[in-house]
CSV table of all heavy atoms in Angstrom, one decimal:
chain,number,residue,atom,x,y,z
L,102,ARG,N,-31.1,13.2,17.9
L,102,ARG,CA,-32.0,12.1,17.5
L,102,ARG,C,-33.4,12.5,17.7
L,102,ARG,O,-34.3,12.1,16.9
L,102,ARG,CB,-31.7,10.9,18.5
L,102,ARG,CG,-32.3,9.6,18.1
L,102,ARG,CD,-31.7,8.5,18.9
L,102,ARG,NE,-31.9,8.6,20.4
L,102,ARG,CZ,-30.9,8.3,21.2
L,102,ARG,NH1,-29.9,7.7,20.8
L,102,ARG,NH2,-31.2,8.4,22.5
L,103,ARG,N,-33.8,13.3,18.7
L,103,ARG,CA,-35.2,13.7,19.0
L,103,ARG,C,-35.6,14.7,17.9
L,103,ARG,O,-36.8,14.7,17.5
L,103,ARG,CB,-35.2,14.5,20.3
L,103,ARG,CG,-35.0,13.6,21.5
L,103,ARG,CD,-36.3,13.1,22.1
L,103,ARG,NE,-36.0,12.2,23.2
L,103,ARG,CZ,-35.9,12.6,24.5
L,103,ARG,NH1,-36.1,13.9,24.8
L,103,ARG,NH2,-35.6,11.7,25.4
L,104,LEU,N,-34.7,15.5,17.3
L,104,LEU,CA,-35.1,16.6,16.4
L,104,LEU,C,-35.2,16.2,14.9
L,104,LEU,O,-35.7,16.9,14.1
L,104,LEU,CB,-34.2,17.8,16.7
L,104,LEU,CG,-34.3,18.5,18.0
L,104,LEU,CD1,-33.3,19.6,18.2
L,104,LEU,CD2,-35.8,19.0,18.3
L,105,ASN,N,-34.4,15.1,14.7
L,105,ASN,CA,-34.3,14.8,13.2
L,105,ASN,C,-34.8,13.5,12.8
L,105,ASN,O,-34.4,12.5,13.4
L,105,ASN,CB,-32.8,15.0,12.9
L,105,ASN,CG,-32.2,16.3,13.1
L,105,ASN,OD1,-32.4,17.2,12.3
L,105,ASN,ND2,-31.4,16.6,14.1
L,106,PRO,N,-35.7,13.5,11.8
L,106,PRO,CA,-36.4,12.2,11.4
L,106,PRO,C,-35.5,11.2,10.9
L,106,PRO,O,-35.7,10.0,11.1
L,106,PRO,CB,-37.4,12.7,10.4
L,106,PRO,CG,-36.9,14.1,9.9
L,106,PRO,CD,-36.2,14.6,11.0
L,107,HIS,N,-34.4,11.5,10.2
L,107,HIS,CA,-33.5,10.6,9.6
L,107,HIS,C,-32.2,10.4,10.4
L,107,HIS,O,-31.2,10.0,9.8
L,107,HIS,CB,-33.3,10.9,8.1
L,107,HIS,CG,-34.4,11.2,7.3
L,107,HIS,ND1,-35.3,10.2,7.1
L,107,HIS,CD2,-34.9,12.3,6.7
L,107,HIS,CE1,-36.4,10.6,6.4
L,107,HIS,NE2,-36.1,11.9,6.2
L,108,TRP,N,-32.2,10.7,11.7
L,108,TRP,CA,-30.9,10.7,12.5
L,108,TRP,C,-30.3,9.4,12.4
L,108,TRP,O,-30.9,8.3,12.6
L,108,TRP,CB,-31.4,11.0,14.0
L,108,TRP,CG,-30.2,11.1,14.8
L,108,TRP,CD1,-29.7,10.2,15.7
L,108,TRP,CD2,-29.3,12.3,14.9
L,108,TRP,NE1,-28.6,10.7,16.4
L,108,TRP,CE2,-28.3,11.9,15.9
L,108,TRP,CE3,-29.1,13.5,14.2
L,108,TRP,CZ2,-27.3,12.8,16.2
L,108,TRP,CZ3,-28.1,14.3,14.6
L,108,TRP,CH2,-27.1,14.0,15.5
L,109,ASP,N,-28.9,9.4,12.2
L,109,ASP,CA,-28.2,8.1,12.1
L,109,ASP,C,-27.4,8.0,13.3
L,109,ASP,O,-26.2,8.5,13.5
L,109,ASP,CB,-27.3,8.2,10.8
L,109,ASP,CG,-26.6,7.0,10.4
L,109,ASP,OD1,-26.4,6.1,11.4
L,109,ASP,OD2,-26.3,6.7,9.3
L,110,ALA,N,-28.0,7.4,14.3
L,110,ALA,CA,-27.3,7.3,15.7
L,110,ALA,C,-26.0,6.6,15.6
L,110,ALA,O,-25.1,7.0,16.3
L,110,ALA,CB,-28.3,6.6,16.7
L,111,ARG,N,-25.9,5.5,14.8
L,111,ARG,CA,-24.7,4.7,14.8
L,111,ARG,C,-23.5,5.5,14.1
L,111,ARG,O,-22.4,5.5,14.6
L,111,ARG,CB,-24.9,3.4,13.9
L,111,ARG,CG,-24.1,2.3,14.5
L,111,ARG,CD,-24.4,1.0,13.7
L,111,ARG,NE,-23.3,0.7,12.8
L,111,ARG,CZ,-23.4,-0.2,11.9
L,111,ARG,NH1,-24.5,-0.8,11.7
L,111,ARG,NH2,-22.3,-0.5,11.1
L,112,LEU,N,-23.9,6.2,13.1
L,112,LEU,CA,-22.9,7.1,12.5
L,112,LEU,C,-22.4,8.0,13.4
L,112,LEU,O,-21.1,8.3,13.6
L,112,LEU,CB,-23.5,7.8,11.2
L,112,LEU,CG,-22.6,8.8,10.5
L,112,LEU,CD1,-21.7,8.1,9.4
L,112,LEU,CD2,-23.4,9.8,9.8
L,113,ALA,N,-23.2,8.7,14.1
L,113,ALA,CA,-22.9,9.8,15.1
L,113,ALA,C,-22.0,9.2,16.2
L,113,ALA,O,-20.9,9.7,16.5
L,113,ALA,CB,-24.1,10.4,15.7
L,114,ALA,N,-22.4,8.1,16.8
L,114,ALA,CA,-21.6,7.4,17.8
L,114,ALA,C,-20.3,7.0,17.4
L,114,ALA,O,-19.2,7.2,18.1
L,114,ALA,CB,-22.4,6.2,18.4
L,115,ASP,N,-20.2,6.4,16.2
L,115,ASP,CA,-19.0,5.9,15.6
L,115,ASP,C,-18.0,7.0,15.4
L,115,ASP,O,-16.8,7.0,15.7
L,115,ASP,CB,-19.1,5.2,14.2
L,115,ASP,CG,-19.8,3.8,14.4
L,115,ASP,OD1,-19.8,3.4,15.6
L,115,ASP,OD2,-20.1,3.2,13.4
L,116,ARG,N,-18.5,8.2,14.9
L,116,ARG,CA,-17.7,9.3,14.6
L,116,ARG,C,-17.1,9.9,15.8
L,116,ARG,O,-15.9,10.4,15.9
L,116,ARG,CB,-18.4,10.2,13.6
L,116,ARG,CG,-17.4,11.1,12.9
L,116,ARG,CD,-16.3,10.3,12.1
L,116,ARG,NE,-16.7,9.6,11.0
L,116,ARG,CZ,-16.8,10.0,9.8
L,116,ARG,NH1,-16.3,11.2,9.4
L,116,ARG,NH2,-17.2,9.2,8.8
L,117,ILE,N,-18.0,10.1,16.8
L,117,ILE,CA,-17.5,10.7,18.1
L,117,ILE,C,-16.4,9.9,18.7
L,117,ILE,O,-15.4,10.3,19.2
L,117,ILE,CB,-18.8,10.8,19.0
L,117,ILE,CG1,-19.8,11.8,18.5
L,117,ILE,CG2,-18.3,11.1,20.4
L,117,ILE,CD1,-19.3,13.2,18.4
L,118,ARG,N,-16.6,8.5,18.6
L,118,ARG,CA,-15.6,7.6,19.1
L,118,ARG,C,-14.3,7.8,18.3
L,118,ARG,O,-13.2,8.0,18.9
L,118,ARG,CB,-16.0,6.2,19.1
L,118,ARG,CG,-15.2,5.2,19.9
L,118,ARG,CD,-15.7,3.9,20.0
L,118,ARG,NE,-17.2,3.7,19.9
L,118,ARG,CZ,-17.8,3.3,18.9
L,118,ARG,NH1,-17.3,2.8,17.8
L,118,ARG,NH2,-19.2,3.1,18.9
L,119,GLN,N,-14.4,7.8,17.0
L,119,GLN,CA,-13.2,7.9,16.1
L,119,GLN,C,-12.4,9.2,16.3
L,119,GLN,O,-11.2,9.2,16.3
L,119,GLN,CB,-13.7,7.8,14.7
L,119,GLN,CG,-12.6,7.6,13.7
L,119,GLN,CD,-13.2,7.6,12.2
L,119,GLN,OE1,-14.3,7.3,11.9
L,119,GLN,NE2,-12.4,8.2,11.4
L,120,ILE,N,-13.1,10.3,16.5
L,120,ILE,CA,-12.4,11.6,16.7
L,120,ILE,C,-12.0,11.7,18.2
L,120,ILE,O,-11.3,12.7,18.6
L,120,ILE,CB,-13.2,12.8,16.2
L,120,ILE,CG1,-14.5,12.9,16.8
L,120,ILE,CG2,-13.2,12.9,14.7
L,120,ILE,CD1,-15.4,14.0,16.2
L,121,GLY,N,-12.4,10.8,19.0
L,121,GLY,CA,-11.9,10.8,20.4
L,121,GLY,C,-12.6,11.7,21.4
L,121,GLY,O,-11.9,12.4,22.2
L,122,LEU,N,-13.8,12.1,21.2
L,122,LEU,CA,-14.5,13.0,22.0
L,122,LEU,C,-15.1,12.2,23.2
L,122,LEU,O,-15.7,11.2,23.0
L,122,LEU,CB,-15.6,13.7,21.3
L,122,LEU,CG,-15.3,14.8,20.3
L,122,LEU,CD1,-16.6,15.5,19.8
L,122,LEU,CD2,-14.3,15.8,20.8
L,123,ASP,N,-14.9,12.8,24.4
L,123,ASP,CA,-15.5,12.1,25.6
L,123,ASP,C,-17.0,12.5,25.6
L,123,ASP,O,-17.3,13.6,25.8
L,123,ASP,CB,-14.8,12.7,26.8
L,123,ASP,CG,-15.3,12.2,28.1
L,123,ASP,OD1,-16.4,11.4,28.0
L,123,ASP,OD2,-14.9,12.6,29.2
L,124,PRO,N,-17.9,11.5,25.5
L,124,PRO,CA,-19.4,11.8,25.5
L,124,PRO,C,-19.9,12.5,26.7
L,124,PRO,O,-20.9,13.1,26.7
L,124,PRO,CB,-20.0,10.4,25.4
L,124,PRO,CG,-18.9,9.4,24.9
L,124,PRO,CD,-17.6,10.0,25.5
Side-chain angles (χ1 to χ4, degrees):
Chain L
R102 192 167 58 219
R103 296 262 176 95
L104 293 176
N105 295 286
H107 306 297
W108 184 256
D109 191 334
R111 209 176 107 193
L112 177 84
D115 283 354
R116 200 51 70 95
I117 291 296
R118 196 177 325 113
Q119 194 187 324
I120 54 186
L122 289 187
D123 175 0

